[in-house]
Amino acid sequence: EAYWAVRFEPSRIAPPPPPAEGEEEEGRDAAHDPPRTMVCYKETQSVVKLDPEPGAWTGTFRDDRDINPKGGMPENGLTGHMFAANAQRMDALVVDGGRYGRHRAWRGTQVSSMSPGDPPLVLYPGLLGHEWDEDVDNGWRPAGLQTLATTTVDNVQGIMDWGSTFDSVTATHSLVLHRRGNGTGAFVFGSGTVQWAWGLDSHHDVNDPQRANKYNIRVAADPRGGCPEVKQLTVNILGDMGVVPATL
């Protein structure tokens, strides 16, 4: 729930039966809880309010039209960037190590050893896949937002409004990090791409046109494996958050 707002309501599915005689209520897991349905009317794609729940909004967070009773709350106020490209492409993440490699998030990677003037490092075609984000200065951009990489791509399908109109644009993906200033001091890392996991593991779906075999599960082992820089960056950021794995 970062782009589309959703809500939950009681499901029309019959509730679970009560505990059988002698069954302990304690320890019953969530599967025994009353079922709920996640609701999203995608109201941004309408010119009128659709969700019948008074005061509810299930459009995009950024939508600030009068039909949104909650008012606009663009997602970059939380994540540091916002959805921009509906690309359906296989673009790589490009890192200018001479510019960004001194950031501690890149420690232990090839990026950290690069110097100004070195050609950018091209990481793993496919990391920027069918949906990715831009750093937008719209008044909601978090203070102290740090950029770890930028990649500019021409002729992508870019969003033109709150979430219903697209056109061909040049867009710039940003990899970002910031620390919340709301008293928590929490780190927020934004990969800005739905395919960041492609760099972490070799098993993933393939972002390509629908195949003739409609039963193809479209998941396989990528012969390239993962991306060492993406893996190390992720470990570094989690470590700075105090999340240290027992094994790698």
Side-chain angles (χ1 to χ4, degrees), residues 28-29 31 38 51 58 83 87-88 97 99 106 109 115 118 146 155 161 194 205 215 225 229 231 247:
R28 284 165 62 100
D29 58 26
M38 184 171 67
D51 194 325
T58 53
F83 169 62
Q88 202 62 40
R99 182 177 182 185
W106 289 113
T109 70
S115 302
D118 287 348
Q146 303 162 38
N155 197 30
D161 58 5
V194 297
D205 64 323
Y215 303 107
E229 281 71 32
K231 291 180 180 181
T247 60

Side-chain angles (χ1 to χ4, degrees), residues 4-150:
W4 292 104
V6 301
R7 63 179 178 82
F8 292 87
E9 62 183 29
S11 175
R12 295 182 180 181
I13 299 174
E21 184 176 355
E23 180 183 357
E24 293 289 337
E25 180 68 27
E26 184 179 357
R28 284 165 62 100
D29 58 26
H32 297 290
D33 292 339
R36 298 187 304 163
T37 298
M38 184 171 67
V39 176
C40 183
Y41 282 83
K42 291 196 170 183
E43 296 176 278
T44 293
Q45 297 177 354
S46 170
V47 295
V48 297
K49 181 106 173 62
L50 299 177
D51 194 325
E53 185 71 20
W57 174 250
T58 53
T60 61
F61 281 96
R62 68 180 70 180
D63 195 337
D64 61 358
R65 293 176 298 163
D66 291 341
I67 64 171
N68 179 359
K70 296 181 178 296
M73 296 181 292
E75 62 267 29
N76 67 318
L78 173 64
T79 66
H81 42 33
M82 56 198 302
F83 169 62
N86 202 30
Q88 202 62 40
R89 296 165 56 112
M90 288 282 289
D91 293 300
L93 183 74
V94 179
V95 185
D96 183 349
R99 182 177 182 185
Y100 301 113
R102 297 297 178 268
H103 195 289
R104 65 178 280 108
W106 289 113
R107 63 191 184 275
T109 70
Q110 184 180 346
V111 177
S112 65
S113 62
M114 296 172 66
S115 302
D118 287 348
L121 190 63
V122 179
L123 299 180
Y124 214 87
L127 275 179
L128 300 189
H130 64 280
E131 291 182 357
W132 46 267
D133 300 350
E134 280 192 314
D135 173 10
V136 179
D137 189 4
N138 59 351
W140 290 79
R141 190 176 188 265
L145 188 70
Q146 303 162 38
T147 303
L148 306 179
T150 57

